[in-house]
Amino acid sequence: MTPKEAAAISPEESLRITREQGWTGGHNPWVVALVVTMATFMEVLDTAIANVSLPHIAGSLSASIDESTWVLTSYLVSNAVVLPISGWVATRIGRKRFYLTCVMLFTISSFLCGLAPNLGLLIFFRVLQGIGGGGLGPSEQAILADTFPPAKRGMAFAVYGMAVVLAPAIGPTLGGFITDHYSWRWVFFINVPVGIASMLLSSRILVDPPHLVEAKKRVGPIDGVGLGLIAVGLGALEYVLDKGQEEDWFNSHTIVIFATVAAVALVTFRSATFAVSNLMMLVLGMALYGSTVLLPQYLQVWMGYSAQDAGMVLSPGGFTVILLLPLVGRLVSKVDPRYLIAFGFLILSAALFHMAHTLYPGIDFRTAVLIRIYQSAGLAFLFVPINTMVYSGVPPQKNNQVSGIVNLARNMGGDIGIALVTTLIARRSQFHQARLAEHVVPSGDLGARLAGIAAHLQQMGIGAAEATKMAYGQIYAQVIKQAQTLAYLDALLMLSIFAAIMVPLVLKTRRVKPGAAAMGH
């Protein structure tokens, strides 16, 4: 169907087509799904792929590690600001035009990030990259919701789920491989060919349905005050979440100021509230991103894994999601999504609880892979049903706005999860270290162990005084290692509890008839 042929269809007829069979623009709907997933996959990948490259970026650009974290923060802040307004912008200028503009901005800014000669310019280009990337996920979800009829929408969201869940899983592995074998700049350059291909294919395949073209004529002006409030509020909240632990949270005047600004701005913007579906997506983001940071960090810091090896622990979990998502997509059209969500959160909570009783300094590679696979099995039963439920009762002309809000919930959940995990590990490590140190007294078994270590060191030619000091040092290192391990276990238990709370909560929501049209009053 050409744009001219699409324009000849009345808005009322296009709405009927969208409700009953999906708006494809004359193309195979799966071709549309795969084309719009390409750029979104790269955008989500960019939220994780640069993490392992920060030390290399800092060294290359003569910056400290703390300063280099702005490479991540700047992207997340601009991304969060764009997400809630992407629906209005897409309706105002046309969804296809908005999507192509986002792909173009993301691609160009990725190329400029790779060329950045200093940290300041890299951060600026990352802001532009976040602005472009922020509109990709919501646009794709809205396109998929219109392209597929409700009965087949679960399978469509399964394709999108592969991009959103798999990308953070393979990001550390891919980023570590590229950084170790080439240069951190190629972490950004790899976006360019995919972005160009996405622009060429999207420009030929995507066709806005007439009811969206008609809606563009009726859309009102944006609420400038509301936009300003949500931009300032989300930006300030992102700063608090990303820099809170580093600056000792509310003991820092800067954090207090930004937290106050965020609270005032977001409370004033009263329409920025989440429904139960968005709350579940928030918790899903917390569990996904929180555990994705926690497990490889533990393996690298305390097990001596390289960035690439730590990433390899996550990759099988990503492939597990790929295998299960088509099954879940089919089940959504036959089973009440609430039951699938409850099952998914139950599996996720149990897997995190199991991980909290399995993770220890001597864990082998196979066990680490298996506990990640268990967790990924639960994640696979969450993403598609939650997305299906959030569109239930929503008319097609509102799909743009819904997709922006639900993507914001997932991203903010990821930020909150990372901040909570980071803070909990730091604070609980101090707590456990103090408790363990109370029982470290040079008598009994510990005294014998100290004497044994010192004697062994003396046999290696080290003096008695120095050997005793080094023996105490080894015991102290073991105390720190055990305290850190207990803190990681506390973080896993916290994520497990959050997931468990969602099980009874989802059963309180309104029943969604499997395969029913997602139309509301």
Side-chain angles (χ1 to χ4, degrees):
M1 182 183 298
T2 64
K4 184 176 293 186
E5 291 172 335
I9 299 175
S10 67
E12 293 77 14
E13 179 64 11
S14 80
L15 268 174
R16 186 192 65 79
I17 294 173
T18 302
R19 294 172 187 169
E20 296 179 1
Q21 62 192 57
W23 179 269
T24 64
H27 300 281
N28 186 302
W30 291 109
V31 173
V32 177
L34 292 175
V35 166
V36 295
T37 298
M38 291 171 58
T40 303
F41 179 83
M42 296 306 297
E43 187 272 326
V44 179
L45 185 69
D46 245 51
T47 63
I49 194 172
N51 292 20
V52 295
S53 304
L54 289 183
H56 297 266
I57 293 174
S60 174
L61 301 180
S62 301
S64 68
I65 293 294
D66 289 345
E67 290 173 334
S68 70
T69 59
W70 279 102
V71 173
L72 305 179
T73 306
S74 57
Y75 181 87
L76 292 171
V77 169
S78 58
N79 204 272
V81 170
V82 170
L83 279 169
I85 65 169
S86 59
W88 181 89
V89 178
T91 305
R92 184 69 180 84
I93 69 174
R95 189 166 63 198
K96 177 180 178 179
R97 181 180 297 175
F98 175 67
Y99 181 77
L100 290 175
T101 301
C102 289
V103 175
M104 181 176 66
L105 180 58
F106 181 79
T107 304
I108 293 174
S109 56
S110 295
F111 180 71
L112 294 174
C113 284
L115 295 177
N118 55 61
L119 185 63
L121 281 176
L122 176 58
I123 291 172
F124 174 72
F125 295 143
R126 283 284 280 177
V127 170
L128 297 181
Q129 192 184 35
I131 293 173
L136 293 178
S139 297
E140 180 188 349
Q141 275 194 276
I143 291 169
L144 292 178
D146 281 349
T147 302
F148 289 83
K152 297 181 179 179
R153 194 173 285 166
M155 286 297 294
F157 283 138
V159 174
Y160 178 71
M162 290 180 188
V164 174
V165 178
L166 179 61
I170 69 170
T173 306
L174 183 60
F177 177 82
I178 292 173
T179 303
D180 290 342
H181 293 83
Y182 300 98
S183 165
W184 64 265
R185 298 183 183 277
W186 280 99
V187 168
F188 301 108
F189 286 148
I190 61 171
N191 294 333
V192 177
V194 179
I196 293 173
S198 176
M199 281 189 288
L200 293 175
L201 293 172
S202 299
S203 62
R204 294 178 61 88
I205 290 175
L206 298 184
V207 179
D208 281 347
H211 67 265
L212 281 186
V213 178
E214 183 65 24
K216 183 169 66 173
K217 301 175 184 177
R218 299 194 304 268
V219 67
I222 194 167
D223 179 5
V225 175
L227 173 60
L229 287 171
I230 200 167
V232 172
L234 289 174
L237 180 60
E238 285 283 355
Y239 181 91
V240 171
L241 293 173
D242 291 329
K243 293 293 184 180
Q245 176 58 29
E246 180 184 319
E247 300 187 16
D248 198 21
W249 292 102
F250 294 104
N251 290 322
S252 164
H253 293 299
T254 305
I255 293 296
V256 171
I257 292 172
F258 273 84
T260 303
V261 170
V264 172
L266 294 177
V267 169
T268 304
F269 192 76
R270 295 181 183 276
S271 62
T273 57
F274 294 121
V276 173
S277 295
N278 289 287
L279 176 61
M280 292 187 293
M281 187 61 78
L282 186 90
V283 173
L284 171 58
M286 288 174 59
L288 172 61
Y289 286 94
S291 61
T292 300
V293 167
L294 186 149
L295 184 58
Q297 185 184 77
Y298 184 83
L299 294 174
Q300 289 181 76
V301 174
W302 296 112
M303 299 290 293
Y305 281 38
S306 67
Q308 184 176 343
D309 289 339
M312 288 297 293
V313 172
L314 303 181
S315 297
F319 290 114
T320 301
V321 173
I322 289 180
L323 293 174
L324 288 176
L325 278 176
L327 169 65
V328 178
R330 290 183 178 275
L331 288 175
V332 165
S333 62
K334 301 176 181 179
V335 180
D336 187 341
R338 298 181 305 164
Y339 299 141
L340 296 176
I341 295 171
F343 177 74
F345 274 120
L346 187 63
I347 295 298
L348 178 60
S349 178
L352 290 167
F353 184 81
H354 173 68
M355 191 185 297
H357 290 78
T358 307
L359 197 65
Y360 70 102
I363 188 173
D364 61 276
F365 182 85
R366 179 177 178 273
T367 303
V369 169
L370 286 176
I371 59 178
R372 180 63 177 182
I373 289 176
Y374 300 154
Q375 181 193 350
S376 300
L379 291 171
F381 282 88
L382 293 174
F383 189 84
V384 175
I386 292 175
N387 272 294
T388 302
M389 180 179 288
V390 81
Y391 283 95
S392 176
V394 176
Q397 56 267 37
K398 294 292 184 181
N399 283 346
N400 287 347
Q401 289 84 344
V402 171
S403 60
I405 294 172
V406 73
N407 275 270
L408 175 64
R410 189 192 72 246
N411 277 24
M412 292 303 296
D415 295 338
I416 293 171
I418 292 171
L420 283 177
V421 164
T422 304
T423 301
L424 198 63
I425 289 173
R427 299 296 169 94
R428 295 295 290 179
S429 294
Q430 297 173 358
F431 170 79
H432 288 300
Q433 184 176 333
R435 293 291 300 274
L436 291 173
E438 294 175 359
H439 301 281
V440 179
V441 291
S443 62
D445 293 339
L446 180 59
R449 188 174 179 187
L450 281 169
I453 295 173
H456 176 71
L457 292 172
Q458 289 180 50
Q459 291 175 3
M460 297 172 61
I462 299 174
E466 185 65 22
T468 300
K469 186 185 297 184
M470 292 176 66
Y472 273 102
Q474 289 188 25
I475 295 297
Y476 179 66
Q478 285 295 319
V479 170
I480 293 177
K481 190 173 187 178
Q482 294 297 329
Q484 284 275 335
T485 299
L486 291 171
Y488 276 88
L489 302 185
D490 290 342
L492 288 168
L493 284 173
M494 177 199 68
L495 294 176
S496 175
I497 291 170
F498 278 123
I501 291 173
M502 294 298 106
V503 176
L505 183 63
V506 67
L507 298 177
K508 297 291 184 180
T509 58
R510 181 172 57 86
R511 183 179 184 274
V512 179
K513 185 179 179 181
M519 292 301 298
H521 299 289

